[in-house]
């Protein structure tokens, strides 16, 4: 019995003091192992008298169980501590770094080029727009056939002043919103998201983006425009490209222009990208219509300017050879991860 008492006192203290898993294991062997101190006592029970057995047996068994659970507990504590210690010699985990969406990359490139040419980048504007800003103020009155060019998502709910609301079909309404609150001269670009109620195919999406440009001053003219976009396309595609201006019609500009660039793939010889024409249609543009300047609060006899709208999806498709506009919002990681 004395021996048992000694073992109990020593073992409890030693287990409590064990500072690592190795010394704990040594203690287990020392007391509970095959020839451990307590194991020897348990074994010697066989040689004891019945009287002795009755006293020593239960005590020894109880001690064995107590030490066993003490060791298990301690083992848990030590393992936890081990796990939380930083082992700087272990190989690191590879961190997956995210990256920008191809559209964001192109949008950022476009914006950076214009910013470097002293354009201000204007954020946003409302995606839920009023009929006035999206159409009327841009010289597209009701029943004007040009409204049919913009298949529109109309909202059922009316605005605060009972005006009709829609998802903006282009970023041009920002021309009016900006002029209303700023004085010329200025030069801005406005990236934004637009919506069209259209059947989708490889070159049509109901949701896409545009970048609107507006430059207004006393003598801003089309040669300024041509210089700026030539510079823009040269920097964007990293080579000098011939730019072609064709007369076109947009109600908010006069004259209106369609801007083509020499095909970035074949250089003008004709290929599948330019449909053998050698040219790529890349933006709508023109000199701001006097009615639009008026709607913005300017006197068209005093100020003039140019405007254009360009589609980052179209540019990204040309730059990266992307065959289908629906890939941008398709969420397919095999596509996204290539950028
Ligand atoms: N807003 C036109 C569209 O979405 C694009 C456009 C054409 C913008 C001519 C302009 C412009 O600023 O001058 O089809």
């Amino acid at each position: 019995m004395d021996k048992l008492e000694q073992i109990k006192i020593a073992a409890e203290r030693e287990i409590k003091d064990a500072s690592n898993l190795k010394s704990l294991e040594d203690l287990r062997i020392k007391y509970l192992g095959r020839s451990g101190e307590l194991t020897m006592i348990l074994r010697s029970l066989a040689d004891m008298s019945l009287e002795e057995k009755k006293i020593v047996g239960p005590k020894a068994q109880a001690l064995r169980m107590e030490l066993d659970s003490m060791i298990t507990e301690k083992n848990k504590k030590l393992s936890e501590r081990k796990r939380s210690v930083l082992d700087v010699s272990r190989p690191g985990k590879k961190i997956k770094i995210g990256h920008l969406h191809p559209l964001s990359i192109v949008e950022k490139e476009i914006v950076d080029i214009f910013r470097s040419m002293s354009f201000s980048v204007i954020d946003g504007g409302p995606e839920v727009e009023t009929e006035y800003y999206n159409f009327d103020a841009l010289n597209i009155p009701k029943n004007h056939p040009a409204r049919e060019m913009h298949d529109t998502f109309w909202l059922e709910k009316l605005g605060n002043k009972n005006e009709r609301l829609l998802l903006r079909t282009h970023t041009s309404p920002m021309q009016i919103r900006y002029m209303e609150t700023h004085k010329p001269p200025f030069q801005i670009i406005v990236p934004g998201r637009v919506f069209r109620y259209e059947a989708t195919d490889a070159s049509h999406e109901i949701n896409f983006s545009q970048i609107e440009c507006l430059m207004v001053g006393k003598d801003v003219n089309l040669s300024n425009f041509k210089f700026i976009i030539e510079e823009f396309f040269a920097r964007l595609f990293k080579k000098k490209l011939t730019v072609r201006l064709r007369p076109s019609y947009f109600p908010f500009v006069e004259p209106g222009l369609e801007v083509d660039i020499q095909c970035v793939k074949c250089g003008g010889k004709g290929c599948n990208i330019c449909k053998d024409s050698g040219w790529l249609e890349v933006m709508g543009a023109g000199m701001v219509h006097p009615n639009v300047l008026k709607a913005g609060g300017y006197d068209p006899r005093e100020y003039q300017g140019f405007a254009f709208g360009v589609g980052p999806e179209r540019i990204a498709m040309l730059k990266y050879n992307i065959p289908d506009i629906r890939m941008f919002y398709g969420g397919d990681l095999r596509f996204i991860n290539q950028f």
Side-chain angles (χ1 to χ4, degrees):
M1 284 306 283
D2 278 354
K3 185 86 177 110
L4 271 181
E5 200 51 36
Q6 278 167 17
I7 289 175
K8 182 175 156 72
I9 291 166
E12 278 176 359
R13 184 174 35 83
E14 285 168 38
I15 291 169
K16 221 174 111 215
D17 292 348
S19 61
N20 57 51
L21 289 169
K22 169 82 179 70
S23 52
L24 186 67
E25 176 60 10
D26 289 345
L27 288 174
R28 195 189 60 77
I29 293 168
K30 177 176 172 191
Y31 293 106
L32 306 177
R34 212 182 301 173
S35 40
E37 290 178 25
L38 187 56
T39 312
M40 298 317 278
I41 292 183
L42 284 161
R43 270 205 206 135
S44 68
L45 282 174
D47 306 325
M48 292 181 196
S49 65
L50 200 59
E51 244 68 335
E52 277 177 316
K53 256 190 226 171
K54 267 192 188 157
I55 303 168
V56 180
K59 280 255 178 194
Q61 277 301 350
L63 182 59
R64 196 183 67 87
M65 275 162 65
E66 185 203 322
L67 295 185
D68 193 64
S69 71
M70 265 187 91
I71 289 171
T72 308
E73 266 308 294
K74 186 77 184 185
N75 188 299
K76 236 200 249 163
K77 257 195 211 148
L78 289 174
S79 314
E80 264 163 30
R81 193 175 329 149
K82 189 174 173 203
R83 239 176 278 128
S84 65
V85 165
L86 176 66
D87 180 354
V88 291
S89 67
R90 292 184 62 182
K93 259 195 210 152
K94 190 161 183 182
I95 296 169
K96 253 205 180 159
I97 298 174
H99 58 91
L100 293 176
H101 187 278
L103 255 186
S104 309
I105 297 174
V106 166
E107 206 174 280
K108 187 175 177 316
E109 261 178 37
I110 297 175
V111 162
D112 285 348
I113 294 171
F114 279 102
R115 202 180 263 140
S116 79
M117 295 195 284
S118 306
F119 280 73
S120 309
V121 183
I122 306 304
D123 214 22
E127 287 168 4
V128 171
E129 188 51 283
T130 65
E131 182 177 21
Y132 172 75
Y133 283 108
N134 197 85
F135 290 126
D136 301 85
L138 287 166
N139 202 29
I140 318 176
K142 287 177 191 54
N143 304 320
H144 192 290
R147 286 208 182 187
E148 277 168 30
M149 287 160 60
H150 296 222
D151 300 290
T152 309
F153 284 109
W154 291 97
L155 270 63
E156 278 180 8
K157 200 170 169 301
L158 296 178
N160 289 339
K161 292 175 194 139
N162 261 350
E163 72 276 36
R164 290 218 289 167
L165 298 176
L166 46 79
L167 296 183
R168 66 173 172 196
T169 59
H170 52 178
T171 42
S172 303
M174 277 304 285
Q175 293 188 23
I176 307 293
R177 286 187 177 275
Y178 191 83
M179 285 192 284
E180 280 179 344
T181 49
H182 295 81
K183 281 202 166 69
F186 62 77
Q187 43 203 358
I188 57 164
I189 56 163
V190 192
R193 182 184 276 238
V194 302
F195 307 85
R196 298 272 171 98
Y197 180 51
E198 280 179 330
T200 58
D201 62 27
S203 47
H204 293 87
E205 252 293 13
I206 56 167
N207 162 212
F208 55 101
S209 55
Q210 285 187 340
I211 296 182
E212 191 78 14
C213 172
L214 180 63
M215 178 165 181
V216 177
K218 287 219 151 93
D219 47 17
V220 175
N221 58 44
L222 275 184
S223 356
N224 301 141
F225 168 70
K226 187 156 182 276
F227 173 83
I228 282 166
I229 56 161
E230 275 175 352
E231 184 64 25
F232 164 63
F233 285 117
R235 291 203 208 170
L236 186 66
F237 290 103
K238 306 203 167 46
K239 60 178 163 203
K240 180 116 189 67
L241 294 167
T242 308
V243 171
R244 181 171 82 170
L245 307 181
R246 273 183 297 119
S248 181
Y249 174 72
F250 300 98
F252 29 94
V253 278
E254 179 57 39
L257 306 167
E258 201 78 62
V259 178
D260 299 341
I261 53 172
Q262 176 195 345
C263 181
V264 291
K265 189 176 175 204
C266 65
K269 286 196 282 293
C271 68
N272 61 327
I273 301 278
C274 60
K275 299 196 184 81
D276 288 325
S277 71
W279 295 99
L280 300 166
E281 210 178 289
V282 282
M283 54 167 70
M287 291 300 290
V288 182
H289 195 287
N291 289 349
V292 173
L293 290 166
K294 266 190 229 159
Y298 298 171
D299 180 352
R301 283 165 308 182
E302 197 181 349
Y303 290 107
Q304 57 186 41
F306 68 75
F308 68 76
V310 65
E313 279 87 352
R314 170 99 168 118
I315 301 292
M317 288 167 83
L318 293 173
K319 239 183 118 97
Y320 297 122
N321 222 335
I322 298 167
D324 193 318
I325 193 173
R326 291 167 293 192
M327 292 179 132
F328 290 110
Y329 297 116
D332 188 336
L333 292 179
R334 291 170 305 176
F335 168 68
I336 303 289
N337 284 337
Q338 291 178 55
F339 296 91

